[in-house]
Amino acid sequence: MKRIICLLLICLTLTGCVSGTEVPTEKTEYSVILNSGSCFVFTFKDPDTNVWYISNKYGVTPRLNKDGTLYVK
């Protein structure tokens, strides 16, 4: 009985995992707005929507134009 269990464990552990597909890496456009002491603010562009976002230690928000529309460059 112990041999069957050991054989099953060995067979199951030797099968391994199927290698997954690689996620393509993309270059993200970004720009540092403020880098002063503990305050760090930067903008980055979402490559799927081309919308720019502003990020700081409190979170992320979409960057807006003066008229309130989304900033798309």
Side-chain angles (χ1 to χ4, degrees):
M1 185 65 164
K2 286 184 180 181
R3 287 183 182 180
I4 294 174
I5 292 174
C6 289
L7 182 63
L8 284 174
L9 286 175
I10 290 172
C11 289
L12 291 175
T13 57
L14 289 178
T15 57
C17 298
V18 177
S19 61
T21 57
E22 287 188 27
V23 176
T25 58
E26 298 177 2
K27 296 233 176 197
T28 302
E29 291 183 53
Y30 70 94
S31 174
V32 176
I33 295 175
L34 179 64
N35 187 6
S36 176
S38 64
C39 188
F40 185 72
V41 180
F42 66 98
T43 62
F44 64 94
K45 181 175 132 181
D46 179 11
D48 296 331
T49 62
N50 291 329
V51 174
W52 283 79
Y53 294 90
I54 299 174
S55 177
N56 62 16
K57 67 180 179 180
Y58 300 111
V60 178
T61 186
R63 184 175 174 183
L64 303 175
N65 293 318
K66 290 181 181 181
D67 62 354
T69 59
L70 291 174
Y71 181 80
V72 179
K73 190 174 182 183

